[in-house]
Amino acid sequence: MSPTQLLSTSISSSSSAFLAAPIAFKARNQNVSIASKTPSICTCAAAPQEQKTVYKTQVSRNANIAKLQAGYLFPEVARRRNAHMLKYPDAKVISLGIGDTTEPIPEVITSAIAKRAEALSTLEGYSGYGPEQGEKPLRTAIASTFYSGLGIEEDDIFVSDGAKCDISRLQMVFGANVTMAVQDPSYPAYVDSSVIMGQTGQFQKDIEKYGKIEYMRCTPENGFFPDLSKVSRTDIIFFCSPNNPTGSAATREQLTRLVQFARDNGSIIVYDSAYAMYMSDDNPRSIFEIPGAKEVALETSSFSKYAGFTGVRLGWTVVPKQLLYSDGFPVVKDFNRVVCTSFNGASNICQAGGRACLSPEGLKAMSEVIGFYKENTNIIMDTFNSLGFNVYGGKNAPYVWVHFPGQSSWDVFSEILEKTHVVTTPGSGFGPGGEGFVRVSAFGHRENVLEACRRFKQLYN
């Protein structure tokens, strides 16, 4: 029996026998003669690959989500930044794009978070589910700190995991059949959540707008406040002040006009005050400072940019009891129903941090961190002003809005990234009104901001 036959016989027997018994091979020298043949060409044809069948369900895709254009703005910016870092692995890339805080949370706040976390390991300190609306001491502290004398009570306030999340919960409350208006440019979550809810038409590429949305153009020429005489009536008006991305803040007189506009049209204002503590001018920090606002407005806000809670996640929304639907039903009851259905309440550990934020020591610490970012803003503003650019924002918000007339925002973004290794945010990502602008964030370590500004000067001098 040849060695090949011996091996074949052994493998064909049981595996246990194969493993147990040694196999002996006898090798011998053989003289092998190969007959000579005339060389020929062999043509090999690849066999067609078998088509793989992909299983598909019978569930149709949500047609509203299919309307969305590309990805959400900030993940797209991050994707391009990551591709740039792969291209230039040795470059020091500085991010002044997404508005993410960079400085440590003050110790007076983190110690309260740690204490609450440690208490959960004791019988006395453990707690499970809390009120979906938030713990009463924190709601009371928010009311007294931000809404003192404005007629806002603790039970008007809903503590959440951030203003962005509450925007989508509010959209669930309003449903698919409402019409909406938005500042142009504005924070993209307002528009995208409206598209997902089915409130809009298709995206119109020629004008870079969705159908059925009223875009309230905000430009340097109108002081970044829309001409309300040219705005059609809508059910919902999203309004952010100080504004992201332009950094502009509405005056008391402007907000008075906005509230009256809403009252005349029977509309509801969703007022985003996430940057109110950055206000330097004597402008309202809450829409409820305007007489009559409680009947036509609600307000959402956040600890993210005050206390560095972008990762901790804690915010709130105020829905006054006086805000009623056309049939007289209170909006707050529907919001409460949605919250109780879709949310189990903010983390009890995070809420302990929120209470520490609103202590005298916490408020002082937050003000110092905000002051640091405002100094960054001044550095960036001075840099672009010295280079001859038209620069907006900055004074009342941590964002600088730089004009590059006649240029595509994405082209400017790409040029800055390619030539300086600095990440910004293209203005067109905030709406068609942002085309030709770039937003530069003041959230960064001081040495990074200074280095980025040095590179800007090197590029544009």
Side-chain angles (χ1 to χ4, degrees):
M1 183 181 289
S2 71
T4 304
Q5 289 172 323
L6 179 61
L7 179 60
S8 175
T9 303
S10 301
I11 292 177
S12 65
S13 64
S14 70
S15 59
S16 57
F18 172 71
L19 293 172
I23 301 172
F25 295 93
K26 292 183 179 179
R28 61 181 179 178
N29 293 328
Q30 290 182 330
N31 294 322
V32 180
S33 72
I34 300 174
S36 174
K37 290 188 178 181
T38 304
S40 61
I41 298 173
C42 178
T43 304
C44 298
Q49 289 187 347
E50 186 177 338
Q51 194 74 11
K52 187 175 181 180
T53 303
V54 177
Y55 177 80
K56 294 182 288 187
T57 71
Q58 297 183 35
V59 180
S60 299
R61 184 186 180 196
N62 184 333
N64 295 315
I65 295 180
K67 295 177 190 175
L68 292 170
Q69 298 300 296
Y72 188 68
L73 172 62
F74 298 112
E76 175 62 20
V77 169
R79 186 191 68 79
R80 297 190 185 208
R81 178 198 64 206
N82 293 337
H84 182 81
M85 292 172 70
L86 287 174
K87 184 179 178 181
Y88 299 101
D90 297 326
K92 180 185 178 183
V93 176
I94 298 172
S95 181
L96 300 180
I98 184 171
D100 191 6
T101 51
T102 57
E103 302 311 294
I105 298 172
E107 194 274 336
V108 65
I109 299 168
T110 55
S111 62
I113 294 173
K115 182 178 179 181
R116 182 68 175 269
E118 290 171 356
L120 292 175
S121 64
T122 68
L123 285 173
E124 300 79 16
Y126 177 77
S127 62
Y129 292 128
E132 291 91 345
Q133 303 81 4
E135 296 175 353
K136 186 170 182 177
L138 177 55
R139 297 167 78 192
T140 301
I142 291 171
S144 62
T145 302
F146 297 106
Y147 305 103
S148 178
L150 301 180
I152 298 299
E153 300 173 349
E154 163 260 317
D155 58 354
D156 296 322
I157 295 169
F158 294 76
V159 177
S160 72
D161 51 347
K164 183 178 183 180
C165 304
D166 274 349
I167 287 166
S168 290
R169 294 185 189 111
L170 288 166
Q171 293 283 32
M172 291 175 66
V173 171
F174 298 138
N177 297 323
V178 297
T179 55
M180 61 89 71
V182 64
Q183 289 161 291
D184 178 27
S186 68
Y187 182 49
Y190 312 141
V191 169
D192 284 9
S193 60
S194 296
V195 174
I196 291 169
M197 280 301 300
Q199 298 168 2
T200 75
Q202 294 292 334
F203 185 73
Q204 302 165 29
K205 290 187 177 181
D206 55 333
I207 57 175
E208 297 289 316
K209 295 180 180 180
Y210 287 95
K212 299 183 181 178
I213 291 183
E214 183 70 20
Y215 289 81
M216 304 185 296
R217 184 58 67 97
C218 298
T219 67
E221 290 73 30
N222 62 20
F224 295 103
F225 186 83
D227 182 350
L228 297 176
S229 67
K230 297 179 180 178
V231 175
S232 300
R233 188 247 171 225
T234 61
D235 297 311
I236 310 300
I237 302 169
F238 281 95
F239 198 91
C240 178
S241 181
N243 180 263
N244 175 17
T246 68
S248 61
T251 65
R252 190 171 304 276
E253 186 273 332
Q254 288 172 333
L255 289 181
T256 299
R257 280 193 277 140
L258 179 66
V259 168
Q260 189 58 52
F261 178 78
R263 293 180 69 89
D264 292 343
N265 288 286
S267 304
I268 293 176
I269 301 167
V270 177
Y271 191 80
D272 187 342
S273 63
Y275 300 95
M277 285 187 71
Y278 284 82
M279 195 85 72
S280 296
D281 293 336
D282 185 26
N283 297 322
R285 285 153 176 75
S286 168
I287 191 67
F288 302 122
E289 294 182 39
I290 308 302
K294 288 193 290 294
E295 288 83 15
V296 293
L298 54 85
E299 182 169 307
T300 188
S301 196
S302 170
F303 286 97
S304 288
K305 308 302 167 62
Y306 302 163
F309 272 27
T310 50
V312 175
R313 307 306 306 151
L314 194 68
W316 70 90
T317 290
V318 183
V319 187
K321 291 180 281 292
Q322 298 91 329
L323 183 62
L324 307 176
Y325 290 114
S326 58
D327 63 357
F329 194 83
V331 175
V332 67
K333 290 190 176 182
D334 278 357
F335 188 63
N336 183 68
R337 185 68 177 83
V338 166
V339 167
C340 292
T341 299
S342 62
F343 187 52
N344 273 330
S347 158
N348 47 22
I349 298 170
C350 298
Q351 291 190 71
R355 288 182 64 187
C357 287
L358 303 182
S359 68
E361 298 82 7
L363 287 168
K364 181 176 181 293
M366 285 197 301
S367 295
E368 290 172 355
V369 174
I370 290 169
F372 173 86
Y373 290 130
K374 287 173 74 69
E375 289 174 0
N376 281 352
T377 306
N378 291 335
I379 293 170
I380 298 168
M381 290 278 291
D382 290 346
T383 296
F384 281 102
N385 278 322
S386 71
L387 294 170
F389 287 93
N390 289 324
V391 187
Y392 307 94
K395 187 175 182 182
N396 297 303
Y399 301 122
V400 178
W401 191 237
V402 188
H403 195 198
F404 291 81
Q407 298 187 59
S408 157
S409 294
W410 278 108
D411 286 350
V412 175
F413 165 88
S414 297
E415 180 184 46
I416 292 174
L417 181 59
E418 181 71 22
K419 296 181 178 179
T420 71
H421 307 301
V422 177
V423 181
T424 57
T425 307
S428 58
F430 299 96
E435 184 60 274
F437 289 86
V438 163
R439 191 193 76 174
V440 184
S441 168
F443 294 118
H445 301 311
R446 181 60 50 78
E447 62 270 22
N448 287 345
V449 170
L450 290 170
E451 172 60 19
C453 288
R454 186 192 66 78
R455 297 180 192 178
F456 292 148
K457 289 179 179 177
Q458 196 172 40
L459 175 62
Y460 293 114
N461 244 336

